[in-house]
Amino acid sequence: MPTMNKDLLRALPSVDALLNVASDLISLYGRDFVRGAIRAVLDETRQQVLAGNSPNIDEAILITHVQTYIAQQLQPSLRPVINATGVIIHTNLGRAPLSLTALKAMQDVAAGYSTLEYDLANGTRGSRHQHIEDILLNITGAEAALVVNNNAAGTVLALSALAHGHEVIVSRGQLVEIGGGFRVPEIMRQSGAILVEIGTTNRTRAADYEHAITENTALLMRVHSSNFKQIGFTEETPLESITSIAHQHGLTVLDDLGSGSLIDTAQYGLDHEPTVQESLAAGCDLVAFSGDKLLGGPQAGIIVGKHDLIQRLKRHPLARAFRTDKLCLAALHTTLDHYRMGNAIQHIPVWQMIARPYAEIQAQAQAWAAQLNADVIPGESTVGGGSLPGSTLPTALLSISHPQPDAIAAQLRTLTTPIIARITDGKIVFDPRTILPEQVHTFIQLLKGVFNEK
Ligand SMILES: *Cc1c(COP(=O)(O)O)cnc(C)c1O
């Protein structure tokens, strides 16, 4: 070890010495927390010296390191990012952003007491389910409804309550794995239901359902294949045929719609995503779907359908384990109100993004390109969230060339508000469609900072 390093080690200030000059930090963050941060910074500095470096060990400099260390420690790891990927319901980036009205409703309920389980008219205990049920019936036309934590929970609840120890018939073409480890056969096993596979991967006919029914059959289940698409020599049994076979045998049909939609996606140039109303019209007894996919609300699992079946689900012990909290109910209620009032497209971010005209996106990309000395190239946005695989929306991408696009993408992820971009053909591209209006200013300032310093 060179003598220089030994001197540096010896000259390193003590924890107490730094604590004595850290009174500002101590008043903000508390003595114990600051002491921990000082120890960590001194350790790090010592390691640098031992590695043969000569870090600046001036007290004032070390205190700025302590400050940075504290800021890093207090930075929540769950925090907002700018989604420039063009994937609207991005599973890794928190799925659906909430409407401003939903945020307001959550805030109002979060900050104080509420009527969560209180009946104001009678001054007695009320039901947390009631808040949402009426509006879901109003929108979907179903007889009854139940809301749980997410659609995976909804499916487990329905299978546990209706098919424990009994057979559930599912087409082999629908035994899919959805992101995040949701696999239909495993969900089935967990619920105590006995999976009966029918048909082949690519073709399942009405007769296959017919032949599989036994004394012990409880349910015929349809699972939306989500982010998986079959093309070519394929055949799926129409939902109407499945429900008609089931009802002839006094059986129930459970439809796991996945995303589900309350609005026809085809009117925005996308493929048609099956709607909740269609499943009910086709005779499904229970339809399960997510709150934070195409619905555009908070994480939730919504089950609508026959009154007696929903009652059985509500009475099952898992209903209590899977129940939603007041914040979710407040946000979901307000989100559903937009559907009831017919202004979902104007207020729900997922639908605003889907409906956003190409010309508007292009004009925005061009305005940004002019400020940043960048290009605009044509591209495609996707809906994501396990809906509409292979279906895209035309978009205009802000495109920046750089010799090391991966390094730039990594740097963009370290910004105060991280920007998640895409790399296409060696260029870093940003899709305006998924950048929220209130983030635009920050986005441009951050990009100017990154690219003007290059
Ligand atoms: C997304 C999805 C689920 C899971 O829903 P969560 O709300 O994420 O729990 C289940 N089934 C299908 C078909 C899906 O697409």
Side-chain angles (χ1 to χ4, degrees), residues 11 29 81 125 165 182 193 229 243 253 256 280 321 336 365 370 381 390 411 418:
Y29 306 111
V81 300
R125 190 195 163 126
F182 179 97
K229 187 175 182 170
T243 56
V253 175
D256 174 7
L280 290 168
L336 290 168
S381 319
Q411 186 188 349

Side-chain angles (χ1 to χ4, degrees), residues 83 86-90 95 97 350 353-354 382-384 393 433-434:
N83 172 15
V87 181
I88 296 173
I89 307 168
H90 198 303
R95 289 196 183 167
V350 163
M353 291 177 194
I354 288 174
T382 56
V383 174
L393 294 160
R433 191 187 294 276
T434 50

Side-chain angles (χ1 to χ4, degrees), residues 333-396:
H333 197 291
T334 320
T335 303
L336 290 168
D337 273 336
H338 287 305
Y339 288 95
R340 184 151 59 161
M341 295 184 287
N343 62 17
I345 303 295
Q346 288 77 35
H347 290 278
I348 299 177
V350 163
W351 285 97
Q352 288 175 314
M353 291 177 194
I354 288 174
R356 201 163 168 214
Y358 174 80
E360 193 186 300
I361 296 176
Q362 190 188 34
Q364 187 169 42
Q366 280 165 348
W368 295 352
Q371 291 187 60
L372 290 156
N373 244 329
D375 302 314
V376 176
I377 59 169
E380 287 170 340
S381 319
T382 56
V383 174
S387 58
L388 302 164
S391 188
T392 60
L393 294 160
T395 195

Side-chain angles (χ1 to χ4, degrees), residues 91 95 149-155 174 176-179 182 184 187 221-227 256-260 273 288-293 298-302 385-387:
T91 303
R95 289 196 183 167
N149 237 319
N150 50 40
N151 188 29
T155 314
Q174 297 168 10
V176 292
E177 170 173 330
I178 291 131
F182 179 97
V184 175
I187 291 289
M221 184 176 180
R222 200 271 297 252
V223 184
H224 185 283
S225 56
S226 202
N227 38 13
D256 174 7
L257 212 42
S259 175
E273 177 73 17
F289 55 102
S290 290
D292 56 348
K293 290 182 176 173
Q299 177 186 305
I302 301 165
S387 58

Side-chain angles (χ1 to χ4, degrees), residues 401-431:
S401 298
H402 192 278
Q404 291 162 307
D406 291 310
I408 290 291
Q411 186 188 349
L412 293 170
R413 294 196 302 271
T414 66
L415 297 170
T416 45
T417 305
I419 298 174
I420 315 299
R422 237 167 47 189
I423 296 174
T424 306
D425 299 330
K427 295 191 172 66
I428 311 140
V429 299
F430 307 87
D431 190 338

Side-chain angles (χ1 to χ4, degrees), residues 37 46 71 78 109 147 161 209 220 300 305 339 361 395 397 416 427 434:
R46 201 170 291 116
L78 172 59
V109 163
V147 177
Y209 285 92
L220 274 57
Y339 288 95
I361 296 176
T395 195
L397 302 169
T416 45
K427 295 191 172 66
T434 50

